[in-house]
Amino acid sequence: MLTAVTGATGFLGLHLVRELLARGRRLLLLARPHPLPAPVRVERFLRACGADEDELRAARTHMETVEIVLEDGFLGLGRVAFQRLADRVDVLWHCAGHISFAATLRQARRTNVDGTRHVLRLLSAGERTPLLCHVSSVAVAGARTRGVVEETVLDDSFGFNTPYEQSKFEAEALVHRWVAQHGGRAVVFRPSGLVTHHPAHPARPRHPLQVLARQVDTVLRHDPGMLTSPGTMTLPVPPGASTNILPVEHAAYAMVEAAERHTSRTPPVHHVVNPRNVPLTELIATLGRHFGVRVDTAEHLPAGQPDVRRALPAYAYWLSVSRTYEDGNLARLGLAYPGRPAIDRHYLASALR
Ligand SMILES: NC(=O)c1ccc[n+]([C@@H]2O[C@H](COP(=O)([O-])OP(=O)(O)OC[C@H]3O[C@@H](n4cnc5c(N)ncnc54)[C@H](OP(=O)(O)O)[C@@H]3O)[C@@H](O)[C@H]2O)c1
């Protein structure tokens, strides 16, 4: 049985690959050209996770790579090699994505929507009936701020804050259409914000909290006008604002385990989330301590106060969100997040290192 993986070299993909290798799966890494071959990047990551020589040797024998161009209709392979690939794949994890909040809609669509369309085309072209494990995101809920987002719902009526969200929505919609119209087999995962408490390391791509911290750092360095007074910043945060953060290690485990147990009765969408949101005040206070800045929060900013939302527009929306996510489908498989480690200020402080 051959499991193909796109995005294997990314933050989440590396953890998925680790889980798949631990189960003895034979992997075909569908990676874009990069100076370091994908298996070398996987190996460096496994080493950083503490893998011993025997595990690394086993991993090496279980991985091969095909270089692809996701944006091309034949994945940059030409018809013949595309067909050959299509005939080999039993399972495909589609995890590649353009995740920058700063991407234009055109850029985000090219990778996330066109890329998904080309992956679906590959899966339809082969002589097998492969299973697609599609990595979507809770971001498909778009600009919705409140209530419980259900696993059965894919709704664009709230609009979108970023092209990233819109492209993830459109990509997931393509997958559902493919299942309905072409009889494709798919399971969709919608993770929330994935992080790790392991410190930054060259073999580990950055996670969203580290990306946010970098941007905050830039603002603090180059835009001191964002401080309300020396060493103090004030953010507008409504009562109850919260966000959903989950350790990537649990997310990858739960996703691979759920996919391994896939049957024709498996629900099509799984939220991969923490049953408990993190209060935004806790996250903001931890970020403040990280940078040695006192952060006050207020429901409304007094007139004339510097507004950090102007400096970080892609993140501004998250200051007013309190939505939560249904997570019944993983829970029914016994794969809901058990709450350990707790995502508290100690965990968040480690995640920011
Ligand atoms: N991280 C989260 O918190 C989170 C939450 C929800 C959903 N997700 C979803 O999870 C997936 C992975 O996210 P991530 O955080 O792991 O992102 P990441 O660290 O940026 O990894 C992205 C992966 O996609 C590959 N990729 C990007 N553009 C590509 C292209 N044009 N052609 C081929 N491969 C391409 C990258 O390859 P290179 O290594 O060559 O750059 C990398 O392997 C995305 O679909 C994202 O929407 C992530």
Side-chain angles (χ1 to χ4, degrees):
M1 187 158 110
L2 186 64
T3 301
V5 187
T6 71
T9 51
F11 173 64
L12 172 58
L14 285 165
H15 287 87
L16 290 172
V17 164
R18 185 175 179 222
E19 288 291 335
L20 290 163
L21 288 171
R23 289 164 176 75
R25 296 285 161 257
R26 257 183 342 110
L27 301 186
L28 181 60
L29 311 181
L30 303 178
R32 61 177 166 183
H34 188 278
L36 268 188
V40 174
R41 297 164 77 189
V42 170
E43 202 179 314
R44 284 194 341 166
F45 170 72
L46 296 177
R47 217 182 269 281
C49 294
D52 64 24
E53 286 308 320
D54 285 344
E55 289 170 87
L56 293 174
R57 216 179 349 263
R60 250 173 256 138
T61 62
H62 280 72
M63 288 188 288
E64 58 178 306
T65 309
V66 170
E67 275 191 3
I68 59 157
V69 179
L70 202 50
E71 296 78 3
D72 178 79
F74 289 103
L75 298 177
L77 299 171
R79 269 172 207 278
V80 175
F82 182 83
Q83 186 60 50
R84 215 180 298 131
L85 175 62
D87 288 337
R88 293 183 63 204
V89 173
D90 297 290
V91 177
L92 190 148
W93 281 87
H94 182 36
C95 187
H98 193 319
I99 62 161
S100 167
F101 285 2
T104 63
L105 186 56
R106 190 157 175 273
Q107 287 166 332
R109 273 186 173 147
R110 256 176 75 67
T111 303
N112 297 345
V113 185
D114 294 347
T116 298
R117 185 177 296 112
H118 303 149
V119 161
L120 296 175
R121 189 154 175 253
L122 177 81
L123 295 176
S124 297
E127 54 196 22
R128 299 159 190 254
T129 316
L131 173 68
L132 168 66
C133 303
H134 177 75
V135 181
S136 183
S137 167
V138 294
V140 297
R144 177 173 178 176
T145 55
R146 290 162 201 285
V148 183
V149 180
E150 292 171 344
E151 290 172 309
T152 46
V153 170
L154 183 66
D155 173 12
D156 62 357
S157 62
F158 292 89
F160 300 100
N161 298 292
T162 58
Y164 169 74
E165 289 178 351
Q166 185 167 347
S167 67
K168 291 299 285 185
F169 172 93
E170 290 175 4
E172 188 184 315
L174 278 185
V175 172
H176 294 306
R177 214 170 305 136
W178 176 71
V179 170
Q181 293 178 357
H182 300 282
R185 292 200 304 139
V187 53
V188 171
F189 295 104
R190 290 184 192 153
S192 60
L194 304 179
V195 301
T196 183
H197 64 285
H198 291 289
H201 183 283
R204 292 175 183 274
R206 276 197 300 277
H207 60 70
L209 269 189
Q210 291 167 327
V211 173
L212 170 63
R214 236 181 204 218
Q215 308 220 11
V216 172
D217 185 49
T218 306
V219 171
L220 291 174
R221 275 173 202 277
H222 302 295
D223 205 349
M226 284 298 140
L227 295 177
T228 344
S229 58
T232 306
M233 187 179 264
T234 308
L235 293 183
V237 180
S242 62
T243 193
N244 201 280
I245 294 177
L246 184 69
V248 68
E249 294 83 1
H250 177 79
Y253 160 74
M255 289 161 76
V256 169
E257 199 54 41
E260 298 263 318
R261 298 188 209 167
H262 178 86
T263 69
S264 56
R265 291 190 309 281
T266 297
V269 177
H270 293 72
H271 280 166
V272 185
V273 296
N274 189 333
R276 292 167 67 94
N277 272 13
V278 176
L280 215 59
T281 44
E282 179 127 9
L283 175 58
I284 288 170
T286 310
L287 266 167
R289 279 191 294 275
H290 182 76
F291 289 108
V293 172
R294 192 180 118 184
V295 188
D296 295 333
T297 56
E299 192 166 353
H300 301 290
L301 279 185
Q305 289 263 9
D307 188 344
V308 79
R309 290 174 296 186
R310 282 205 325 275
L312 295 171
Y315 291 94
Y317 153 83
W318 288 101
L319 292 175
S320 57
V321 171
S322 58
R323 72 189 190 205
T324 57
Y325 305 93
E326 179 193 15
D327 69 342
N329 288 336
L330 283 185
R332 274 184 281 283
L333 293 172
L335 297 171
Y337 183 55
R340 291 276 172 278
I343 310 298
D344 55 15
R345 63 198 185 102
H346 303 292
Y347 185 97
L348 293 169
S350 303
L352 285 169
R353 278 181 298 161

